């Protein structure tokens, strides 16, 4: 197994995008200058509950170990980024079922365009979405 390395500027949005992309990779990915902010912690915790594997390294870096995501239940808290990214990613996981929960505050935010787009592409989303 090969390892790829990428250095980021510490942006939570950039890191969450990389974490999601890493769920498609077949090689390890080392992210240097990794941020431990709440949105990133939420993304990691939820991906981990689906079988996502990683190890924290020294000097603010993390290594993602390729694994297939499996069915599970998620709690997104208040992270709109995690909700949008994970909902889109999980919509293409064939043969798996996921339950996504989030805070009442996040439920009130507009998600209609994303939800309708995913449904048009064939995603089967429950009544909450």
């Amino acid at each position: 197994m090969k390892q790829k390395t990428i250095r980021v500027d510490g942006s939570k949005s950039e890191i969450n995008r990389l974490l999601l992309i890493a769920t498609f990779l077949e090689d390890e990915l080392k992210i240097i200058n990794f941020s431990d902010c709440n949105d990133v912690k939420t993304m990691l915790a939820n991906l981990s509950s689906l079988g996502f594997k990683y190890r924290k390294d020294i000097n603010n870096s993390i290594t993602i170990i390729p694994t297939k995501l499996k069915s599970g239940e998620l709690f997104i808290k208040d992270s709109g980024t995690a909700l949008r990214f994970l909902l889109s990613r999980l919509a293409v996981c064939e043969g798996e079922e996921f339950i996504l929960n989030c805070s009442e505050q996040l439920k009130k935010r507009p998600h209609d365009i994303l939800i309708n787009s995913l449904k048009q592409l064939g995603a089967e989303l429950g009544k909450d979405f």
Side-chain angles (χ1 to χ4, degrees), residues 87-101:
L87 188 59
S88 300
R89 171 60 177 105
L90 301 179
V92 299
C93 288
E94 293 183 17
E96 303 291 339
E97 289 190 19
F98 306 95
I99 298 171
L100 273 75
N101 295 303

Side-chain angles (χ1 to χ4, degrees), residues 7 30-35 56-62:
R7 178 179 297 277
K30 183 173 187 170
I31 303 172
I32 299 172
N33 199 23
F34 190 82
S35 170
K56 290 204 173 185
D57 303 321
I58 58 171
N59 300 328
N60 292 336
S61 66
I62 188 170

Side-chain angles (χ1 to χ4, degrees), residues 15-59:
I15 291 169
N16 275 340
R17 283 176 171 83
L18 278 172
L19 290 173
L20 204 66
I21 290 167
T23 67
F24 291 100
L25 299 178
E26 295 179 8
D27 293 326
E28 287 187 354
L29 175 65
K30 183 173 187 170
I31 303 172
I32 299 172
N33 199 23
F34 190 82
S35 170
D36 246 354
C37 71
N38 286 336
D39 277 1
V40 172
K41 286 179 182 177
T42 297
M43 180 70 90
L44 271 176
N46 282 285
L47 285 171
S48 294
S49 72
L50 303 177
F52 186 79
K53 305 251 186 264
Y54 67 93
R55 70 175 174 269
K56 290 204 173 185
D57 303 321
I58 58 171
N59 300 328

Side-chain angles (χ1 to χ4, degrees), residues 57-125:
D57 303 321
I58 58 171
N59 300 328
N60 292 336
S61 66
I62 188 170
T63 299
I64 310 302
I65 301 155
T67 46
K68 182 183 181 297
L69 298 181
K70 61 181 186 207
S71 297
E73 188 167 344
L74 307 176
F75 182 61
I76 308 296
K77 299 180 186 178
D78 290 323
S79 178
T81 301
L83 176 66
R84 289 186 299 276
F85 290 177
L86 286 168
L87 188 59
S88 300
R89 171 60 177 105
L90 301 179
V92 299
C93 288
E94 293 183 17
E96 303 291 339
E97 289 190 19
F98 306 95
I99 298 171
L100 273 75
N101 295 303
C102 61
S103 69
E104 290 302 316
Q105 177 185 349
L106 188 54
K107 286 179 184 177
K108 293 176 185 175
R109 293 174 58 186
H111 306 292
D112 293 346
I113 293 173
L114 174 61
I115 301 302
N116 293 334
S117 297
L118 291 172
K119 286 181 178 179
Q120 286 178 350
L121 292 170
E124 296 179 22
L125 302 173

